Amino acid sequence: MNIGIDRISFHTSHYYVDLKTLAEVRSVEVNKYYVGIGQEKMGIPSPDEDVVTLAASAAYPLMQAGELDEVELLLFATESGIDQSKSAGVYVHGLLEMPARCRTVELKQACYSGTAGLQLAIAFVARNPGKKALVIASDIARYELGSPGEATQGCGSVAMLVSANPRLLAIEPESGYVTEDVMDFWRPNYRSEAFVDGKYSTMVYIHTLVESWKQYAELTGRLLSDFDRFCYHIPFTKMAEKAHQKLCRKFKVEADNATMYTLLDESLRYSRVTGNCYSGSMYVGLASLLETAAEDLSGKRVGFYSYGSGCVGEFFSGVVQPGYGDFLFADQHRNLLENRTELTYQQYEDIFNYGVPTDGGEYVFPQYKTGPFRFSGISQHKREYESLVD
Ligand code: CAA
């Protein structure tokens, strides 16, 4: 029985900063961002948007299509959690009016947790083949103003329905995975921005990729040339390109520019304009690949490398299913990305500094343009959400 991703839907903020605006203010040559790190825009969440509203908005098209009725497991992956106790998934379950018979839990291991969710969901479906699982990876990437990481900020959420006989992508059973206790990127409970040892993090990303790939190759006997496309974790698009080049170099496979473009570029298009979505970013890459590829990808094998700082890495693979094109949300995603509002530098900084109050007071947040749900305020230490749809 094939098990894998049956539908995929993503959402990002309505607001973005073009990195040329940031480059001007920071007195940086713009091509450092556009070319050197490979990013054009970064999605900026408004004060009334958080990982819950991004997630519920991502999953909303699935609800509208009646796809959530058989879901009995909701796994919410994030490293931008909003509560130390209650899962952000429970809020989403409520906003989407999902059936009460559902296990809901939040998962955390930096950007890797979306993949942990996917693999756990596959195990659930293997045991309950008639049932479905909803995996949501939702994050807001936030670094200090003026820091090297600033240009790699972004936000977004990906909702994936996992089922038997999936219509999009069958996940193959073999995986290579590695855990190592390192401090490349972390966010203590008292901080709203991450600490990051940037250069070191890129080295650990690649080291873990090589170790994960070696395991995967040994288990499957496959070579890098057995893959038609790759989807990498995308903190910034240049990271994915560099990682693939290094992997090819290490295992003596040619990776000229044309080959690199074919193998990777389609998967990087959305991330170039959303920025890092942490736990969701590799799956934003998958949506981008499936929805923007000019070629029919039916039957093509895709290699995935998921990385979460701290760290855990995993290499696995999937095969695109025939007829997948009829089950994408490509038009909605194109509209979403094409109809966003550009922020000035001052608007960006004001939003960045807005900060969710922590003093237990009563707050009503200003209304910005969001998806179908918004974070409307706080009352008696409880977050309040508003549905903008009937
Ligand atoms: N034109 C073209 N390229 C230019 C340029 C110009 N005018 N100016 C500079 N560049 C190039 C540089 O040569 C460099 O290229 P190489 O990497 O090939 O050497 C590239 O632009 C970046 O320049 P710097 O190395 O000087 O950049 P930096 O040190 O200021 O910042 C960074 C880079 C450390 C990765 C920083 O963006 C950062 O800290 N990011 C956050 C951490 C991160 O994303 N880590 C990734 C791995 S960890 C992970 O994946 C988990 C996660 O999601 C966070």
Side-chain angles (χ1 to χ4, degrees):
M1 177 179 61
N2 279 337
I3 306 178
I5 301 173
D6 191 53
R7 304 295 304 263
I8 187 165
S9 170
F10 96 92
H11 189 76
T12 186
S13 165
H14 180 71
Y15 301 95
Y16 72 90
V17 172
D18 193 302
L19 290 180
K20 71 174 180 310
T21 305
L22 189 69
E24 263 167 42
V25 176
R26 300 281 177 252
S27 303
V28 167
E29 162 60 34
V30 67
N31 279 341
K32 171 170 177 181
Y33 297 154
Y34 282 180
V35 181
I37 65 165
Q39 291 298 122
E40 286 170 28
K41 296 172 181 170
M42 53 185 191
I44 303 295
S46 57
D48 58 344
E49 192 93 88
D50 67 3
V51 288
V52 169
T53 64
L54 289 168
S57 300
Y60 184 66
L62 300 175
M63 176 196 164
Q64 282 183 306
E67 301 276 19
L68 301 183
D69 301 345
E70 287 147 16
V71 169
E72 290 198 4
L73 177 67
L74 196 175
L75 296 173
F76 193 108
T78 189
E79 55 180 307
S80 328
I82 48 142
D83 194 287
Q84 293 284 31
S85 174
K86 179 168 172 167
S87 162
V90 172
Y91 291 101
V92 173
H93 179 278
L95 288 169
L96 297 178
E97 298 172 1
M98 290 174 66
R101 184 178 159 80
C102 185
R103 294 185 179 121
T104 302
V105 73
E106 186 171 307
L107 304 171
K108 178 170 65 189
Q109 177 26 57
C111 307
Y112 170 72
S113 57
T115 297
L118 175 62
Q119 297 291 10
L120 291 171
I122 289 169
F124 169 80
V125 173
R127 188 161 182 162
N128 305 275
K131 301 295 175 193
K132 295 182 180 176
L134 179 63
V135 177
I136 305 183
S138 188
D139 265 310
I140 295 169
R142 197 177 144 91
Y143 299 92
E144 279 182 354
L145 294 176
S147 68
E150 184 182 24
T152 67
Q153 295 179 114
C155 65
S157 177
V158 181
M160 295 178 282
L161 198 62
V162 176
S163 73
N165 306 315
R167 288 170 286 183
L168 301 184
L169 185 88
I171 302 291
E172 296 181 299
E174 302 88 355
S175 265
Y177 39 86
V178 175
T179 294
E180 279 183 29
D181 185 2
V182 296
M183 294 301 279
D184 59 331
F185 173 107
W186 67 104
R187 184 166 67 84
N189 288 344
Y190 48 83
R191 296 260 309 184
S192 62
E193 291 91 36
F195 287 112
V196 59
D197 189 341
K199 296 282 181 209
Y200 177 55
S201 72
T202 63
M203 286 161 55
V204 186
Y205 177 114
I206 289 169
H207 162 74
T208 313
L209 164 64
V210 170
E211 294 308 308
S212 307
W213 164 255
K214 277 192 208 158
Q215 278 185 26
Y216 176 91
E218 202 174 310
L219 286 169
T220 60
R222 289 191 189 114
L223 306 170
L224 287 171
S225 53
D226 291 326
F227 291 85
D228 301 290
R229 298 289 190 281
F230 288 87
C231 281
Y232 279 80
H233 168 55
I234 314 167
F236 49 95
T237 65
K238 205 48 171 258
M239 180 76 239
E241 290 172 352
K242 284 194 152 195
H244 193 66
Q245 273 161 345
K246 294 223 164 155
L247 192 65
C248 289
R249 210 171 300 141
K250 177 137 188 102
F251 294 96
K252 303 189 172 29
V253 176
E254 199 174 333
D256 58 36
N257 286 348
T259 311
M260 284 289 294
Y261 186 85
T262 306
L263 292 175
L264 258 70
D265 188 72
E266 294 142 342
S267 72
L268 304 178
R269 291 174 183 169
Y270 289 174
S271 291
R272 235 176 241 131
V273 295
T274 62
N276 196 352
C277 303
Y278 287 163
S279 59
S281 76
M282 190 176 79
Y283 300 98
V284 172
L286 173 61
S288 179
L289 168 64
L290 297 177
E291 294 170 9
T292 71
E295 181 191 4
D296 181 0
L297 297 176
S298 299
K300 305 282 186 198
R301 176 170 287 116
V302 183
F304 293 88
Y305 174 60
S306 178
Y307 176 74
S309 291
C311 72
V312 179
E314 176 162 348
F315 191 98
F316 64 100
S317 57
V319 176
V320 180
Q321 298 301 288
Y324 72 97
D326 295 336
F327 300 99
L328 300 172
F329 293 103
D331 291 344
Q332 285 99 312
H333 295 158
R334 197 175 316 109
N335 281 338
L336 172 72
L337 293 174
E338 283 175 2
N339 292 300
R340 295 182 296 167
T341 297
E342 182 174 355
L343 298 175
T344 62
Y345 178 80
Q346 195 53 53
Q347 287 170 325
Y348 154 62
E349 198 174 296
D350 290 346
I351 287 178
F352 186 96
N353 289 327
Y354 189 88
V356 173
T358 53
D359 62 2
E362 302 286 307
Y363 293 97
V364 175
F365 294 149
Q367 183 153 7
Y368 286 74
K369 192 162 182 347
T370 61
F373 305 98
R374 63 182 294 269
F375 173 30
S376 53
I378 299 177
S379 175
Q380 297 180 338
H381 296 283
K382 296 173 191 159
R383 291 168 92 92
E384 294 183 335
Y385 293 96
E386 186 183 355
S387 171
L388 305 173
V389 287
D390 297 329

